[in-house]
């Protein structure tokens, strides 16, 4: 048995030693502490894990994304060498489904340099098992991609990056902190307020008690990748839950075993995530010189890519699974399920016309 402190004990020790920590620091430690973070442990996906994602619901999700990327590669005149990078590839299911379809396009597989950005060793092993045939390479920095065009895909990656929270009071905007009250973790406010001028215009004059969340880490990732794409050509597709315009409202949530869980109670054992501010991602991509497509809902995106036809063909080939296929289609696209909450974001080299982003 190991006597090393647990992650909750480590976090509490840090607070006792250096004082309250920002929500971003708390979230970063909870999710990616090198030994004890949530994303360093067992596979969190699927029925036995904490949550399920679109590619795990149906192979159709990845297959349609495969068509999407083949289309972009063809628009770029089928470069002989290009990088396909996935951020947070989970079990490798999305990429396996994408490549099964995409590699039918002549020349695609020979030109492909597959890169994966992943923090979880258990998931890396699963990715390797599913994608070994494509010779994937894991990268730990975005400067480690080849010189050719760069195509990036990210499903439910940006929501897992740390956010900072700011709360409006009569004095200004105070950063929300995690501290200890009677030895129990609790939220509090930093004593020094920031002026309204430090906040984006869309939220600066929100009423007292409003909460503004900002994901500097997400914008940084987008800026880095968009910078590379803007010089080498390519595009980034990010699908996630989130909102179209920067706004106030608390979205930080904890999930454990498919149920909402207290954010502060069990760090390292709870998935923490926040809705993605697509406006902020768009600003970062645009600044780097990319053309940002109008945001579309996941339902619209998949329907426009031909989900209906794909579901029919799949059901015809597997009549015994027709009911499951129809249920999966509904789950991915119905407005009261994943169809509206999840959105597809794309930023691309000017001139490229990413499929399904305009009617
Ligand atoms: C919610 S899961 C989504 C998995 C997969 N994209 C899917 O749709 O099934 C988030 C993924 O991002 C990875 N991840 C989370 N934070 C990360 C980080 N800071 N750096 C690299 N990977 C990260 C997780 O390990 C996991 O693979």
């Amino acid at each position: 048995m190991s006597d090393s402190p647990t992650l909750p004990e480590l976090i509490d020790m840090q607070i006792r030693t250096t004082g309250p920590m920002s929500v971003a620091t708390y979230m970063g430690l909870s999710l990616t502490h090198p030994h004890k973070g949530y994303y360093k442990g067992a596979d969190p996906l699927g029925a036995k894990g904490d949550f399920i994602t679109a590619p795990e619901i149906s192979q159709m999700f990845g297959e349609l994304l495969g068509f999407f990327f083949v289309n972009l590669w063809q628009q770029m005149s089928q470069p002989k060498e290009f990088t396909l990078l996935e951020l947070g590839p989970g079990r490798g299911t999305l990429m396996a489904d994408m490549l099964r379809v995409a590699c039918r396009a002549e020349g695609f597989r020979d030109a492909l340099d597959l890169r994966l950005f992943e923090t979880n060793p258990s998931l890396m092993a699963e990715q390797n098992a599913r994608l070994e045939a494509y010779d994937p390479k894991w990268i730990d920095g975005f400067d480690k991609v080849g010189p050719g065009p760069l195509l990036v895909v990210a499903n439910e990656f940006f929501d897992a990056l740390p956010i900072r929270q700011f709360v409006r009071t009569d004095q200004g905007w105070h950063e929300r902190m995690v501290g200890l009250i009677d030895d129990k973790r609790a939220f509090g406010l930093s004593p020094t307020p920031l002026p309204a001028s430090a906040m984006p215009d869309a939220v600066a004059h929100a009423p007292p008690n409003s909460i503004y969340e900002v994901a500097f880490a997400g914008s940084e990732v987008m800026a880095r990748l968009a910078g590379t794409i803007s010089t080498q050509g390519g595009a980034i597709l990010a699908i996630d839950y989130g909102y179209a315009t920067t706004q106030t409202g608390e979205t930080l949530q904890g999930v454990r075993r498919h149920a909402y869980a207290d954010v502060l109670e069990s760090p390292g054992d709870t998935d923490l995530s926040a809705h993605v501010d697509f406006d902020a991602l768009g600003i970062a991509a645009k600044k780097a010189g990319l053309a940002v497509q109008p945001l579309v809902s996941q339902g619209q995106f998949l329907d426009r890519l031909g989900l209906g036809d794909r579901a029919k063909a799949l059901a015809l080939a597997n009549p015994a699974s027709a009911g499951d296929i129809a249920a999966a289609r509904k789950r991915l696209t119905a407005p009261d399920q994943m169809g509206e909450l999840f959105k597809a974001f794309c930023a691309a080299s000017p001139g490229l016309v990413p499929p399904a982003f305009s009617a």
Side-chain angles (χ1 to χ4, degrees):
M1 222 171 91
S2 154
D3 284 343
S4 73
T6 63
L7 185 59
E9 287 168 346
L10 282 173
I11 287 176
D12 293 353
M13 269 178 344
Q14 183 164 332
I15 294 172
R16 281 192 195 96
T17 314
T18 54
M21 58 177 68
S22 71
V23 171
T25 302
Y26 175 77
M27 208 172 156
L29 284 170
S30 301
L31 294 178
T32 53
H33 178 281
H35 312 300
K36 299 169 192 238
Y38 176 81
Y39 276 120
K40 299 291 182 181
D43 175 356
L45 286 126
K48 289 200 192 123
D50 293 315
F51 53 83
I52 190 151
T53 57
E56 302 298 333
I57 291 171
S58 170
Q59 67 185 76
M60 296 185 290
F61 184 81
E63 290 169 349
L64 294 171
L65 265 60
F67 286 123
F68 176 90
F69 282 105
V70 165
N71 180 300
L72 287 179
W73 176 71
Q74 287 169 338
Q75 284 186 47
M76 293 188 299
S77 309
Q78 311 189 356
K80 292 268 176 297
E81 265 178 50
F82 75 101
T83 299
L84 180 58
L85 165 65
E86 182 170 1
L87 310 178
R91 293 174 166 172
T93 311
L94 170 60
M95 188 53 79
D97 290 337
M98 279 174 55
L99 291 178
R100 195 175 54 251
V101 164
C103 289
R104 284 190 216 143
E106 208 185 317
F108 189 94
R109 185 168 181 163
D110 288 342
L112 171 71
D113 176 14
L114 180 60
R115 304 274 162 149
L116 305 172
F117 183 72
E118 174 58 65
T119 191
N120 184 317
S122 323
L123 290 177
M124 278 180 188
E126 293 197 45
Q127 291 153 21
N128 191 42
R130 286 206 167 87
L131 299 169
E132 202 175 6
Y134 302 101
D135 192 21
K137 292 180 186 62
W138 284 264
I139 55 170
D140 56 8
F142 299 125
D143 47 347
K144 294 173 184 160
V145 295
L150 173 62
L151 295 172
V152 185
V153 62
N155 186 63
E156 287 205 50
F157 169 77
F158 283 96
D159 68 68
L161 299 182
I163 55 154
R164 289 172 74 180
Q165 290 185 322
F166 293 87
V167 180
R168 175 79 202 261
T169 70
D170 289 337
Q171 282 70 49
W173 288 90
H174 297 256
E175 178 146 21
R176 204 171 185 213
M177 311 295 282
V178 177
L180 291 171
I181 298 178
D182 295 335
D183 280 339
K184 200 170 166 356
R185 264 161 260 123
F187 286 115
L189 297 184
S190 141
T192 323
L194 291 171
S197 58
M199 298 291 135
D201 289 348
V203 302
H205 302 290
N209 298 323
S210 299
I211 295 185
Y212 165 58
E213 297 179 336
V214 56
F216 289 116
S219 293
E220 173 68 20
V221 168
M222 181 57 70
R224 299 280 301 273
L225 292 171
T228 303
I229 292 169
S230 106
T231 52
Q232 299 177 193
I236 175 164
L237 173 72
I239 300 180
D240 225 311
Y241 43 90
Y243 40 94
T245 49
T246 298
Q247 56 189 239
T248 55
E250 181 173 22
T251 71
L252 176 62
Q253 67 180 26
V255 170
R256 201 173 334 130
R257 315 272 174 272
H258 298 268
Y260 288 112
D262 190 299
V263 166
L264 298 182
E265 200 178 277
S266 207
D269 200 26
T270 306
D271 177 37
L272 301 181
S273 66
H275 287 211
V276 173
D277 180 350
F278 287 107
D279 216 1
L281 291 186
I283 289 170
K286 213 169 173 176
K287 236 185 221 165
L290 299 191
V292 178
Q293 306 299 311
L295 199 65
V296 289
S297 69
Q298 173 171 296
Q300 223 171 11
F301 179 66
L302 295 176
D303 281 342
R304 285 178 183 171
L305 284 176
L307 181 63
D309 287 346
R310 182 66 194 121
K312 267 187 219 149
L314 204 56
L316 217 58
N318 309 277
S321 305
D324 290 344
I325 294 165
R329 180 184 175 193
K330 189 166 176 217
R331 189 157 174 199
L332 293 172
T333 57
D336 60 345
Q337 300 199 36
M338 296 174 81
E340 283 289 336
L341 176 63
F342 282 74
K343 298 178 178 67
F345 167 99
C346 183
S349 296
L352 285 182
V353 185
F357 277 89
S358 49

